[in-house]
Amino acid sequence: MAQLPILRYPDPRLHTVARPVAAVDERIRRLVDDMIETMYANEGVGLAATQVDVHERVIVMDTSDQHNQPLVLINPEIIESSAEFALGEEGCLSVPAIYDKVERHARVTVRALGRDGQSFELQAEGLTSVCVQHEMDHLIGKVFVEYLSNLKRDRIRTKMLKKTRDEQRG
Ligand code: NI
């Protein structure tokens, strides 16, 4: 396994729309394993392939308390979402150290393929529901800061550009 570099907002590649995975083969399983390693190494609860510059519909998540229950969602589709909404604080490995509140469906049911290529359904609520919706947004090129006000988004953009510049300068 290998850790993959994570694209940082406002990298334009984060706005790429991912295509469906054609077959869950060895290449996809390697991608999944590398994404899980990358997620854990960066202490994230979710990572979409878009964030590692692979534009196929693959998500990994782990919202368990012990961070020992990785969940793999390939070609995920939301098949049901609650009429009720909930406001929760979100962060993103592509927007490090920024947290803000976003409104999401309180519960969603998602259908996806697992790492074994088998279809399954997941009824998600709480953090898992937030995470599914946040990661699925990545697959359509959307980053959570796009839900915030223009003012906040501009501030975050400036901050991230400066952080990247400072790091490159060393
Ligand atoms: Ni994210």
Side-chain angles (χ1 to χ4, degrees):
M1 299 213 287
Q3 275 188 52
L4 306 168
I6 297 175
L7 299 179
R8 181 179 291 167
Y9 184 81
D11 191 309
R13 291 172 288 181
L14 285 168
H15 304 301
T16 311
V17 177
R19 60 186 178 275
V21 169
V24 183
D25 54 14
E26 205 42 57
R27 180 183 66 88
I28 292 296
R29 279 189 289 273
R30 192 178 323 121
L31 170 66
V32 161
D33 294 344
D34 289 347
M35 285 173 61
I36 290 172
E37 183 176 336
T38 304
M39 172 179 71
Y40 286 140
N42 291 279
E43 295 174 6
V45 293
L47 186 68
T50 308
Q51 295 176 271
V52 294
D53 203 21
V54 176
H55 303 286
E56 296 179 74
R57 293 182 62 81
V58 177
I59 288 169
V60 300
M61 292 172 32
D62 190 342
T63 54
S64 69
D65 288 339
Q66 304 294 322
H67 302 291
N68 58 1
Q69 291 168 49
L71 189 63
V72 177
L73 300 166
I74 298 168
N75 295 344
E77 300 294 340
I78 288 180
I79 54 175
E80 218 180 311
S81 41
S82 64
E84 187 194 331
F85 287 80
L87 196 62
E89 189 156 83
E90 298 188 21
C92 180
L93 293 178
S94 292
V95 198
I98 300 288
Y99 301 90
D100 215 321
K101 290 199 150 76
V102 177
E103 193 169 60
R104 303 278 188 184
H105 294 283
R107 292 172 301 283
V108 293
T109 303
V110 61
R111 183 185 292 148
L113 304 177
R115 190 184 179 283
D116 59 3
Q118 297 296 305
S119 177
F120 68 98
E121 283 181 18
L122 171 75
Q123 288 178 322
E125 56 178 23
L127 177 60
T128 308
S129 173
V130 170
C131 197
V132 165
Q133 294 170 79
H134 175 119
E135 301 310 330
M136 284 185 68
D137 269 355
H138 277 302
L139 299 180
I140 56 167
K142 190 161 185 176
V143 181
F144 87 101
V145 298
E146 291 169 60
Y147 291 103
L148 308 178
S149 67
N150 288 339
L151 178 67
K152 277 187 177 175
R153 194 168 59 242
D154 287 348
R155 277 192 191 145
I156 292 168
R157 169 188 283 265
T158 304
K159 204 170 187 172
M160 290 298 124
L161 288 171
K162 181 177 185 304
K163 195 181 175 99
T164 304
R165 258 198 323 272
D166 291 350
E167 283 171 6
Q168 282 166 352
R169 221 173 265 147

